[in-house]
Every structure is written in C-alpha cells, then in structure tokens.
Amino acid sequence: MRRFMCALIVVLTTCIAGSPVAWAQTARAGSSAKARATAANPVNLNSASITQLQTLPGVGASTAQRILDYRQKNGGFKKIEELMNVKGVGEKSFLKLKPMVVVSGASAAVDAQK
C-alpha cells in the first residue's frame, strides 16, 4: 500500500508541476527568443551590435567582442573572408557562418562608431 501511495504522489506531482524536461525546454526556448541569424536574415559584420553577432551559430559573447574589436582596429570588414582573421573563427566556423553574414558600408560603420 505504501508503494502505491508513493507512486500515486509521484504521478500527481508530475502532472501538476509538469515534467522537468518540459520545464527545461520552456526555459531554453524563452532564453533563445531572440531571432537567429539565417541566410534570409543575415548579419552585417560592419554594423551589427554585440547582441546581433551572438545570433550567429557558435558566436558567443567573447567571439562577438573580438569581431567588434577587429572591426574597430581595421576600419571594418572589406570582405566576409576577413572573419577568419578573428581569433576563434577558423575555416570550419567560417563555412558555417558564410551564408549568414554580409559586409556592407565598412567606412560608414566605422565613422558612426567615432
């Protein structure tokens, strides 16, 4: 009888509170509510903010900051291949990012930051 009651409590608790997996998925979905970069919605390397750069797959806060530092130091990106000059972005990463990034207005973006 005790086992039955314990099993019933577990089942009821799970039904009322929801499963831990569902909670984790909900929390994860809520934290990634920002739009992800896609080929249809590319990120401009010369004008993107640190938050916009982080929408790229595999680009976290530190890589995004290094992209901004590179942009500031070199007067913007002239071509997307320059992204491989940023520490942490190798050829494999670049090939994944290539369809999701564009380069335009290099000098305008740098002038706006001054």
Side-chain angles (χ1 to χ4, degrees):
M1 181 71 169
R2 190 179 298 168
R3 287 185 192 170
F4 175 76
M5 291 302 288
C6 288
L8 183 61
I9 291 171
V10 169
V11 169
L12 289 175
T13 305
T14 303
C15 289
I16 292 170
S19 73
V21 173
W23 280 102
Q25 289 172 343
T26 302
R28 200 175 313 125
S31 66
S32 64
K34 59 186 175 186
R36 300 304 268 161
T38 63
N41 185 27
V43 172
N44 185 340
L45 294 175
N46 286 325
S47 62
S49 68
I50 194 164
T51 305
Q52 291 168 326
L53 289 168
Q54 289 179 57
T55 65
L56 293 164
V59 176
S62 59
T63 303
Q65 185 59 55
R66 286 193 295 266
I67 292 170
L68 291 178
D69 293 344
Y70 180 89
R71 182 171 79 192
Q72 182 74 31
K73 180 181 176 187
N74 296 289
F77 291 85
K78 280 87 178 154
K79 54 186 181 176
I80 60 173
E81 289 79 11
E82 287 182 49
L83 191 55
M84 287 188 284
N85 294 337
V86 175
K87 181 181 176 186
V89 182
E91 187 175 354
K92 281 184 177 181
S93 298
F94 172 73
L95 292 174
K96 290 178 190 174
L97 296 173
K98 187 176 180 179
M100 296 173 230
V101 295
V102 294
V103 172
S104 62
S107 60
V110 173
D111 292 340
Q113 291 177 356
K114 292 182 180 178

